CSV table of all heavy atoms in Angstrom, one decimal:
chain,number,residue,atom,x,y,z
P,1,GLU,N,22.6,133.1,106.8
P,1,GLU,CA,21.8,133.9,105.9
P,1,GLU,C,22.1,135.4,106.2
P,1,GLU,O,22.2,136.2,105.2
P,1,GLU,CB,20.3,133.7,106.2
P,1,GLU,CG,19.4,134.5,105.3
P,1,GLU,CD,17.9,134.3,105.6
P,1,GLU,OE1,17.5,133.4,106.3
P,1,GLU,OE2,17.2,135.1,105.0
P,2,LEU,N,22.3,135.8,107.4
P,2,LEU,CA,22.6,137.2,107.7
P,2,LEU,C,24.0,137.5,107.1
P,2,LEU,O,24.1,138.6,106.4
P,2,LEU,CB,22.7,137.4,109.2
P,2,LEU,CG,23.1,138.8,109.7
P,2,LEU,CD1,22.2,139.9,109.2
P,2,LEU,CD2,23.2,138.8,111.2
P,3,LYS,N,25.0,136.7,107.2
P,3,LYS,CA,26.3,137.0,106.6
P,3,LYS,C,26.1,137.1,105.1
P,3,LYS,O,26.7,138.0,104.5
P,3,LYS,CB,27.3,135.9,107.0
P,3,LYS,CG,28.6,136.2,106.3
P,3,LYS,CD,29.7,135.3,106.9
P,3,LYS,CE,31.1,135.5,106.3
P,3,LYS,NZ,31.2,136.4,105.2
P,4,ASN,N,25.4,136.2,104.5
P,4,ASN,CA,25.2,136.2,103.0
P,4,ASN,C,24.6,137.5,102.6
P,4,ASN,O,25.0,138.1,101.6
P,4,ASN,CB,24.4,135.0,102.5
P,4,ASN,CG,25.2,133.7,102.6
P,4,ASN,OD1,26.4,133.7,102.6
P,4,ASN,ND2,24.4,132.6,102.6
P,5,ARG,N,23.5,137.9,103.3
P,5,ARG,CA,22.8,139.2,103.0
P,5,ARG,C,23.8,140.4,103.2
P,5,ARG,O,23.7,141.4,102.4
P,5,ARG,CB,21.6,139.3,103.8
P,5,ARG,CG,20.5,138.2,103.3
P,5,ARG,CD,19.2,138.5,103.9
P,5,ARG,NE,18.6,139.7,103.3
P,5,ARG,CZ,17.7,140.4,104.0
P,5,ARG,NH1,17.2,140.0,105.1
P,5,ARG,NH2,17.2,141.5,103.4
P,6,MET,N,24.6,140.3,104.2
P,6,MET,CA,25.6,141.4,104.5
P,6,MET,C,26.6,141.5,103.3
P,6,MET,O,26.9,142.5,102.8
P,6,MET,CB,26.3,141.2,105.8
P,6,MET,CG,25.4,141.5,107.0
P,6,MET,SD,26.2,141.0,108.6
P,6,MET,CE,27.7,142.0,108.5
P,7,ASP,N,27.1,140.3,102.9
P,7,ASP,CA,28.0,140.2,101.8
P,7,ASP,C,27.4,140.7,100.5
P,7,ASP,O,28.2,141.3,99.7
P,7,ASP,CB,28.5,138.8,101.6
P,7,ASP,CG,29.4,138.3,102.8
P,7,ASP,OD1,29.9,139.1,103.6
P,7,ASP,OD2,29.6,137.1,102.9
P,8,ASN,N,26.1,140.6,100.3
P,8,ASN,CA,25.5,141.0,99.1
P,8,ASN,C,25.0,142.5,99.2
P,8,ASN,O,24.4,143.0,98.3
P,8,ASN,CB,24.3,140.1,98.8
P,8,ASN,CG,24.7,138.7,98.4
P,8,ASN,OD1,25.8,138.6,97.8
P,8,ASN,ND2,23.9,137.8,98.6
P,9,GLY,N,25.3,143.1,100.3
P,9,GLY,CA,24.9,144.5,100.5
P,9,GLY,C,23.4,144.7,100.8
P,9,GLY,O,22.8,145.8,100.6
P,10,GLU,N,22.7,143.6,101.2
P,10,GLU,CA,21.3,143.7,101.4
P,10,GLU,C,20.9,144.1,102.9
P,10,GLU,O,19.8,144.5,103.2
P,10,GLU,CB,20.6,142.3,101.1
P,10,GLU,CG,20.8,141.9,99.7
P,10,GLU,CD,20.3,140.4,99.5
P,10,GLU,OE1,19.6,139.9,100.4
P,10,GLU,OE2,20.7,139.8,98.5
P,11,VAL,N,21.9,144.0,103.8
P,11,VAL,CA,21.7,144.2,105.2
P,11,VAL,C,22.9,144.9,105.8
P,11,VAL,O,24.0,144.6,105.5
P,11,VAL,CB,21.5,142.8,106.0
P,11,VAL,CG1,21.5,143.0,107.5
P,11,VAL,CG2,20.2,142.2,105.6
P,12,LEU,N,22.6,145.9,106.7
P,12,LEU,CA,23.6,146.5,107.5
P,12,LEU,C,23.4,145.9,108.9
P,12,LEU,O,22.3,145.9,109.4
P,12,LEU,CB,23.4,148.0,107.6
P,12,LEU,CG,23.7,148.9,106.4
P,12,LEU,CD1,23.3,150.3,106.7
P,12,LEU,CD2,25.2,148.8,106.2
P,13,LEU,N,24.5,145.5,109.5
P,13,LEU,CA,24.4,145.0,110.9
P,13,LEU,C,24.9,146.1,111.8
P,13,LEU,O,26.0,146.6,111.7
P,13,LEU,CB,25.3,143.8,111.0
P,13,LEU,CG,25.3,143.1,112.4
P,13,LEU,CD1,23.9,142.6,112.8
P,13,LEU,CD2,26.3,141.9,112.4
P,14,LEU,N,24.0,146.5,112.7
P,14,LEU,CA,24.3,147.6,113.6
P,14,LEU,C,24.5,147.1,115.0
P,14,LEU,O,23.7,146.4,115.6
P,14,LEU,CB,23.2,148.6,113.6
P,14,LEU,CG,22.7,149.2,112.3
P,14,LEU,CD1,21.5,150.1,112.5
P,14,LEU,CD2,23.8,149.9,111.6
P,15,ASP,N,25.7,147.5,115.6
P,15,ASP,CA,26.0,147.1,117.0
P,15,ASP,C,25.6,148.4,117.8
P,15,ASP,O,26.3,149.4,117.7
P,15,ASP,CB,27.5,146.8,117.1
P,15,ASP,CG,27.9,146.4,118.5
P,15,ASP,OD1,27.3,146.8,119.5
P,15,ASP,OD2,28.9,145.6,118.6
P,16,VAL,N,24.6,148.3,118.6
P,16,VAL,CA,24.1,149.5,119.3
P,16,VAL,C,24.6,149.5,120.8
P,16,VAL,O,24.1,150.3,121.6
P,16,VAL,CB,22.5,149.6,119.3
P,16,VAL,CG1,22.1,149.8,117.8
P,16,VAL,CG2,21.9,148.4,119.9
P,17,ARG,N,25.6,148.7,121.1
P,17,ARG,CA,26.2,148.7,122.4
P,17,ARG,C,27.1,149.9,122.6
P,17,ARG,O,27.4,150.5,121.6
P,17,ARG,CB,27.0,147.4,122.7
P,17,ARG,CG,26.1,146.1,122.5
P,17,ARG,CD,27.0,144.9,122.6
P,17,ARG,NE,28.1,144.9,121.6
P,17,ARG,CZ,29.2,144.4,121.7
P,17,ARG,NH1,29.6,143.7,122.8
P,17,ARG,NH2,30.1,144.4,120.7
P,18,PRO,N,27.5,150.2,123.8
P,18,PRO,CA,28.5,151.3,123.9
P,18,PRO,C,29.7,151.0,123.1
P,18,PRO,O,30.2,149.9,122.9
P,18,PRO,CB,28.8,151.3,125.4
P,18,PRO,CG,27.6,150.6,126.1
P,18,PRO,CD,27.1,149.6,125.1
P,19,LYS,N,30.4,152.1,122.6
P,19,LYS,CA,31.5,152.0,121.7
P,19,LYS,C,32.7,151.2,122.4
P,19,LYS,O,33.3,150.4,121.7
P,19,LYS,CB,32.0,153.4,121.4
P,19,LYS,CG,33.2,153.3,120.4
P,19,LYS,CD,33.4,154.5,119.6
P,19,LYS,CE,34.6,154.5,118.7
P,19,LYS,NZ,35.1,153.3,118.2
P,20,GLU,N,32.8,151.3,123.7
P,20,GLU,CA,33.9,150.5,124.4
P,20,GLU,C,33.7,149.0,124.2
P,20,GLU,O,34.6,148.3,124.0
P,20,GLU,CB,33.9,150.9,125.8
P,20,GLU,CG,34.3,152.3,126.1
P,20,GLU,CD,33.1,153.3,125.9
P,20,GLU,OE1,31.9,152.8,126.1
P,20,GLU,OE2,33.3,154.4,125.6
P,21,GLU,N,32.4,148.6,124.3
P,21,GLU,CA,32.2,147.2,124.1
P,21,GLU,C,32.4,146.7,122.6
P,21,GLU,O,32.9,145.7,122.4
P,21,GLU,CB,30.7,146.9,124.5
P,21,GLU,CG,30.5,147.0,126.0
P,21,GLU,CD,29.1,146.6,126.4
P,21,GLU,OE1,28.5,145.8,125.8
P,21,GLU,OE2,28.6,147.2,127.4
P,22,TYR,N,32.0,147.6,121.7
P,22,TYR,CA,32.2,147.3,120.3
P,22,TYR,C,33.8,147.2,120.0
P,22,TYR,O,34.2,146.3,119.4
P,22,TYR,CB,31.7,148.4,119.4
P,22,TYR,CG,32.0,148.3,117.9
P,22,TYR,CD1,31.2,147.5,117.1
P,22,TYR,CD2,33.1,148.9,117.4
P,22,TYR,CE1,31.5,147.4,115.7
P,22,TYR,CE2,33.4,148.8,116.0
P,22,TYR,CZ,32.6,148.1,115.2
P,22,TYR,OH,32.9,148.0,113.9
P,23,ASP,N,34.5,148.1,120.6
P,23,ASP,CA,36.0,148.1,120.4
P,23,ASP,C,36.6,146.9,121.0
P,23,ASP,O,37.6,146.3,120.4
P,23,ASP,CB,36.6,149.3,121.0
P,23,ASP,CG,36.3,150.6,120.3
P,23,ASP,OD1,35.9,150.5,119.1
P,23,ASP,OD2,36.5,151.7,120.9
P,24,GLU,N,36.0,146.4,122.1
P,24,GLU,CA,36.6,145.2,122.7
P,24,GLU,C,36.3,143.9,121.9
P,24,GLU,O,37.2,143.1,121.7
P,24,GLU,CB,35.9,145.0,124.1
P,24,GLU,CG,36.6,144.0,125.0
P,24,GLU,CD,36.1,144.0,126.4
P,24,GLU,OE1,36.0,145.1,127.0
P,24,GLU,OE2,35.7,143.0,126.8
P,25,GLU,N,35.1,143.8,121.3
P,25,GLU,CA,34.8,142.7,120.5
P,25,GLU,C,33.4,142.9,119.8
P,25,GLU,O,32.5,143.5,120.4
P,25,GLU,CB,34.7,141.4,121.3
P,25,GLU,CG,34.4,140.2,120.5
P,25,GLU,CD,34.5,138.9,121.4
P,25,GLU,OE1,34.2,138.9,122.6
P,25,GLU,OE2,34.7,137.8,120.8
P,26,HIS,N,33.3,142.5,118.6
P,26,HIS,CA,32.0,142.7,117.8
P,26,HIS,C,31.9,141.7,116.7
P,26,HIS,O,32.9,141.1,116.4
P,26,HIS,CB,31.9,144.1,117.3
P,26,HIS,CG,33.0,144.5,116.3
P,26,HIS,ND1,34.1,145.1,116.8
P,26,HIS,CD2,33.1,144.4,115.0
P,26,HIS,CE1,34.9,145.3,115.7
P,26,HIS,NE2,34.3,144.9,114.6
P,27,ILE,N,30.7,141.5,116.2
P,27,ILE,CA,30.5,140.6,115.1
P,27,ILE,C,31.2,141.3,113.8
P,27,ILE,O,31.0,142.5,113.5
P,27,ILE,CB,29.0,140.4,114.8
P,27,ILE,CG1,28.4,139.7,116.0
P,27,ILE,CG2,28.8,139.6,113.5
P,27,ILE,CD1,26.9,139.6,115.9
P,28,PRO,N,32.0,140.5,113.1
P,28,PRO,CA,32.7,141.1,111.9
P,28,PRO,C,31.7,141.7,110.9
P,28,PRO,O,30.6,141.1,110.7
P,28,PRO,CB,33.4,139.9,111.3
P,28,PRO,CG,33.6,138.9,112.5
P,28,PRO,CD,32.4,139.1,113.4
P,29,GLY,N,32.0,142.9,110.5
P,29,GLY,CA,31.1,143.5,109.5
P,29,GLY,C,30.1,144.5,110.2
P,29,GLY,O,29.4,145.2,109.5
P,30,ALA,N,30.0,144.4,111.5
P,30,ALA,CA,29.0,145.3,112.2
P,30,ALA,C,29.5,146.7,112.2
P,30,ALA,O,30.7,147.0,112.2
P,30,ALA,CB,28.8,144.8,113.6
P,31,ILE,N,28.6,147.6,112.2
P,31,ILE,CA,28.9,149.1,112.3
P,31,ILE,C,28.5,149.5,113.7
P,31,ILE,O,27.4,149.2,114.2
P,31,ILE,CB,28.0,149.9,111.3
P,31,ILE,CG1,28.4,149.4,109.9
P,31,ILE,CG2,28.2,151.4,111.5
P,31,ILE,CD1,27.4,149.9,108.8
P,32,SER,N,29.3,150.2,114.4
P,32,SER,CA,29.1,150.7,115.7
P,32,SER,C,28.2,152.0,115.7
P,32,SER,O,28.7,153.0,115.2
P,32,SER,CB,30.4,151.0,116.5
P,32,SER,OG,30.1,151.6,117.8
P,33,ILE,N,27.0,151.9,116.2
P,33,ILE,CA,26.2,153.1,116.4
P,33,ILE,C,25.6,153.0,117.8
P,33,ILE,O,24.5,152.3,117.9
P,33,ILE,CB,25.1,153.3,115.4
P,33,ILE,CG1,25.8,153.4,114.0
P,33,ILE,CG2,24.3,154.6,115.7
P,33,ILE,CD1,24.7,153.6,112.8
P,34,PRO,N,26.2,153.5,118.9
P,34,PRO,CA,25.6,153.4,120.2
P,34,PRO,C,24.2,153.8,120.2
P,34,PRO,O,23.8,154.8,119.5
P,34,PRO,CB,26.5,154.3,121.1
P,34,PRO,CG,27.8,154.3,120.3
P,34,PRO,CD,27.4,154.3,118.9
């Protein structure tokens, strides 16, 4: 459901971990904002 809502532009997925962790691996489509 989250992926479908992201694909439809209904949800932004925010990765709030440190940028280094985002760069190492993250959920596809997530935006890095520490």
Side-chain angles (χ1 to χ4, degrees):
E1 180 181 352
L2 177 61
K3 180 170 179 352
N4 288 340
R5 291 190 67 203
M6 288 171 59
D7 291 346
N8 291 332
E10 299 171 16
V11 169
L12 285 176
L13 182 60
L14 307 177
D15 184 328
V16 297
R17 301 174 303 152
K19 182 156 177 27
E20 298 78 26
E21 291 182 32
Y22 174 87
D23 289 343
E24 193 172 306
E25 185 174 23
H26 60 273
I27 297 173
I31 298 168
S32 175
I33 302 180

